Amino acid sequence: MNTDHNSGELKLELITKGVRLDRSALSSKEIVRALDIANQVHNPLELDLILPGKVLVNIAIQECLDKETNYRLIKEAEDFFVVNKDLKVKVYLEPPPKFYDQLTTSGKIMAKVGRKYGDYLLVTPTGACEFLSGDMACKYCDVDAKNTDDKSVQDVLETIEAASAEGAAEFVCINVGYISSDDGGISMVLPFVKEIKKNFDVLICVQAQPPKTDEWIDLTYASGIDSLAYNLEVYDEEIFNKIAPGKMSLVGRDRYFQALARAAKVFPSGAIVSNLIVGLEPVESTFKGIDILTAMGVVPTLPIFRPVPGSDLESHIDLTPESLSPIYVHLQNALKRNRLSSSWISHFNVVVNAIDAHYFGGEAPVKRQWPTVLKSKKRSKLALNLRRRLRVRTAEDNESTGL
Amino acid sequence: MSPQDFKVGQGVTVDTRPIPLVLLTKSYRSITLIAAVVIFLLIINLPTPEGLTFTGQKALATFALCLVLWITRALPLAVTSLLALVLIPMLGILDSTEAFSLFGNQAVFFILGAFILAAAMMKSGLSSHMALIFLRRFGGSPGRLLAGVLLVPAFLSFLMPEHAVAAMMFPIVLEVAHGLDLKPQKTIYGQALFHSLAWGAAIGGVATYLGGARNALAVGILKQSTGEFIGFFEWMIAVLPTVLVMLGVAYLALRRFFPSDVVSVEKAVKLIEEKNKSLGKMNAEQRLIGIIMVFTVIAWIFLGSRFELASIAIVAVVALFVFQLIKWKDLEEYVNWGIILMYGGAIALGFALEKSGASSWIAETTVTKWTDSPFLIVALIALVSLLLTEGMSNAAVVAMLMPVGLGIARQYGIDFKIMVFAISVPAGLGFAFPIASPPNAIAYSSGFIKPRKMFTIGIMMDFVALLVFLLMTQIYWPLINLDL
Ligand code: SF4
């Protein structure tokens, strides 16, 4: 059997086609525990695999996209392998973090408060996104509408503490759906940011909707948030309007671009990201989106569309690894051209990113700027804080004494 | 403040310029602080020049230190004044009892009283009422509405600080602009309206002691240093013609340089009517404050020489509290306490320079050498005051020029009062930059004003103002016994 493979291509294969669990893997203690947690939080089973070359991939097992998939996850002795009829690749299965089944003092299961994705701990402190309660929901949305209960600052702090204890929270990513307010939900996030920064030595990124005015973007940076995502999701205007009715009517596509442009000026290079979901629009349109965003100083993240069974887009554009790889090469080249780094997202395991792109023949990842600075966490924090101190001004700094 | 404590409304912005520029801006303050100290030490350690005592030299060093700090604003203006107040006795320029007693100067208490009266007018809504009642009388045509937006703040600035008038009228003018569908920077009429607001408030602010507290500061320094005084009415009589001519010039300039691009202002008139209606009738509280204000002004005019202006102001303030028309809490919000501290220190510094002979020495060694025409000297001082006010606080200009100006006046036998006018009137007539005056800054924040246009037309207005002022010194002042 062939053990030669390309990790980037394999990642695409696994994301698009899914993987079946072999009986040998199914009975392993790691999978049993992962299943148990998935049941407790009413979420589909997701597994984190590390492919050779430290390529991270998150696979949703139950939503096996291609029922005919040939990929299976097997266990031999203590090792896991991804196999098909021609290939056998040793992979490392990341066991679900220990903190997942711990409870916060208010009795919440921590897996519901924070989910680990690579080095990121994703926290969604509010109830559901307001789009989900009307007919405004994004058509590609896979957010669990049932997981609506609010998490307190204390719940989040305890979860981060437990996650940090096992080294699972280098970055805390706070996710806010749509909240009908001028600030895009930032005011709601600020108490969390304040306490997290006070108690932990972590970087914080926030995924939110663009606020109505740029003043909020400046405040977002001033408040200590290190990275920000306003997710456009698709570049094509017509498709955007069709599949993101809430975003279209209550935020507006133009506002995404304006807000991203301001944010890219305010935050350090590479710290502003925006999703362009691959597979929701023609490839040419994704190319255009990549070009426009990178020229603005925004790093596109390119998650691959995984249709939720039973959803409107269940049988959307058919994706093949062959059709996908040029997109990542294009992304990598665009980042290089615009001297942008993608270090902030390098550990997102749910997206294929520029770091993986060199597996498809793209140029080597951009090494300048933040990736190298960020190598040492201490140094990076120092540099980031210093930058913030220098750049943030308050009215008091600007003002005369009013005499 | 830790970064996470920032709140919206605090005017948090991120400086996106290249880092070297940001660094330069940030270190500017430290550099100026060091420069100020170096200049201070240098002057104090130089050999004492002929004609100057060592005490005078120390007063001069303190003055130079404050000058750098006032101009650069490396410290808040009030803190610089407090520093002066501490340095004066520490360096033995005046003894400490004398230095600190200057803080009790009547100008300081007059300004305090004026601020409290203005606070009562603002808090009760009387000022908005007055603005709308007067504004209603204008309208009908774009030209008339423009005249209203010029004259109403000008008149209100006779009674209240100009910055308070501009701040109070700003939302009204903004609503008028929106009501007329005027687009920021695009519609000429929108630019005209906000220039009109700024110019009206600034020009009106020189007419009395109430419009610009710098006027009272100048008179405070005058009284402390020379024993002379300018009464409330006397001030108005001397300055009012300049104000009226400048309002006329301003109107013509607005019509000439901002030709109206709107045909009808009907919507704005309706809006003003509606706003006026929504405020309802003047309530008893507003009427009572109005009555106290009228009596106070009458008392300042007719009894000002018998009782001190400050005493009348404080009696009015007590009346406000007796009738429960204002609460102490409101004062904390509306009164600019910084200015009170700043004026106390500035007056002390002016007196120290005068008493130590430093101001006369500056006069002798500078202006005296260049010209011996009193008119040219007054013109020069007025020009310097006007130019400085374009870049720094009006009050700081007065604090800076008054001691020197009085020294020069003594040298040339110029009436001290003329020197007060020559410094404080132009100090209120800067039109070219947003930072030239608080009304300019407020109007500029609307987004309607184009900076370039503000500059070009503003410079022209500056020089017309200087010309009008100088013409008054020659044509009008001799008629009221102010001979130059
Ligand atoms: S913004 Fe769209 S994708 Fe995000 S949670 Fe709301 S509906 Fe779902």
Side-chain angles (χ1 to χ4, degrees), chain A residues 129-132 136-143 175-178 209 233 247 256:
Chain A
C129 159
E130 286 180 27
F131 289 157
L132 292 170
M136 296 274 192
C138 309
K139 301 276 188 277
Y140 48 81
C141 181
D142 61 354
V143 168
N175 180 39
V176 199
Y178 177 76
Q209 303 301 324
E233 316 291 16
K247 291 186 175 193
Y256 273 87

Side-chain angles (χ1 to χ4, degrees), chain A residues 109-368:
Chain A
I109 178 158
M110 287 189 181
K112 264 196 161 184
V113 181
R115 301 296 301 270
K116 177 182 177 293
Y117 292 98
D119 287 350
Y120 282 73
L121 186 74
L122 181 70
V123 176
T124 309
T126 45
C129 159
E130 286 180 27
F131 289 157
L132 292 170
S133 53
D135 50 3
M136 296 274 192
C138 309
K139 301 276 188 277
Y140 48 81
C141 181
D142 61 354
V143 168
D144 177 14
K146 286 183 288 248
N147 187 5
T148 57
D149 47 338
D150 287 347
K151 288 92 186 172
S152 68
V153 174
Q154 193 55 32
D155 287 331
V156 170
L157 291 182
E158 287 172 21
T159 306
I160 297 174
E161 188 171 12
S164 304
E166 50 186 298
E170 289 260 323
F171 300 84
V172 174
C173 191
I174 303 175
N175 180 39
V176 199
Y178 177 76
I179 296 175
S180 45
S181 64
D182 288 356
D183 64 0
I186 282 300
S187 302
M188 190 278 293
V189 169
L190 290 184
F192 290 87
V193 173
K194 182 175 175 174
E195 290 305 316
I196 294 170
K197 282 265 166 178
K198 208 158 89 185
N199 292 287
F200 304 100
D201 188 24
V202 294
L203 294 169
I204 297 183
C205 62
V206 167
Q207 287 188 46
Q209 303 301 324
K212 289 231 162 78
T213 56
D214 287 354
E215 189 189 10
W216 290 103
I217 300 172
D218 289 23
L219 185 83
T220 303
Y221 177 64
S223 309
I225 291 164
D226 301 293
S227 168
L228 183 63
Y230 297 138
N231 290 329
L232 189 61
E233 316 291 16
V234 286
Y235 176 73
D236 183 279
E237 189 169 358
E238 231 172 81
I239 300 175
F240 176 86
N241 293 345
K242 213 158 79 198
I243 68 171
K247 291 186 175 193
M248 184 265 289
S249 55
L250 297 177
V251 183
R253 183 172 172 270
D254 287 350
R255 183 59 196 145
Y256 273 87
F257 285 108
Q258 288 159 5
L260 283 167
R262 174 67 194 168
K265 280 203 185 116
V266 165
F267 282 71
S269 166
I272 299 302
V273 296
S274 184
N275 270 354
L276 286 177
I277 304 175
V278 176
L280 283 182
E281 61 187 326
V283 173
E284 303 71 49
S285 179
T286 305
F287 279 171
K288 207 157 177 201
I290 291 171
D291 292 340
I292 301 266
L293 289 176
T294 49
M296 283 164 58
V298 176
V299 176
T301 41
L302 306 181
I304 293 168
F305 179 58
R306 296 198 295 203
V308 180
S311 74
D312 291 2
L313 301 176
E314 182 179 16
S315 53
H316 205 71
I317 299 174
D318 201 15
L319 296 167
T320 61
E322 297 73 44
S323 63
L324 287 172
S325 49
I327 300 177
Y328 296 100
V329 174
H330 189 86
L331 170 65
Q332 173 57 20
N333 293 339
L335 289 173
K336 187 145 197 265
R337 201 168 49 244
N338 292 288
R339 304 167 76 81
L340 282 167
S341 106
S342 55
S343 65
W344 291 91
I345 50 157
S346 61
H347 300 290
F348 268 0
N349 53 355
V350 280
V351 293
V352 180
N353 56 57
I355 301 286
D356 300 331
H358 66 283
Y359 286 105
F360 313 124
E363 295 181 47
V366 181
K367 284 249 169 55
R368 269 189 72 256

Side-chain angles (χ1 to χ4, degrees), chain B residues 136-152:
Chain B
R136 259 177 81 199
R137 317 221 164 260
F138 296 88
S141 71
R144 279 176 62 95
L145 182 65
L146 200 60
V149 177
L150 179 77
L151 297 179
V152 172

Side-chain angles (χ1 to χ4, degrees), chain B residues 263-325:
Chain B
V263 191
S264 158
V265 289
E266 214 174 289
K267 277 190 201 157
V269 175
K270 235 170 147 185
L271 200 133
I272 294 167
E273 277 297 337
E274 275 166 23
K275 270 194 93 61
N276 201 30
K277 260 197 205 134
S278 72
L279 280 183
K281 283 213 158 93
M282 263 200 214
N283 59 30
E285 186 186 315
Q286 290 164 339
R287 280 167 203 268
L288 203 49
I289 292 172
I291 291 170
I292 291 176
M293 197 67 210
V294 170
F295 273 109
T296 311
V297 173
I298 292 174
W300 276 330
I301 294 173
F302 296 108
L303 303 174
S305 50
R306 217 166 126 203
F307 306 102
E308 299 282 357
L309 291 182
S311 311
I312 295 169
I314 299 297
V315 169
V317 167
V318 172
L320 290 176
F321 279 93
V322 167
F323 294 111
Q324 296 186 321
L325 297 169

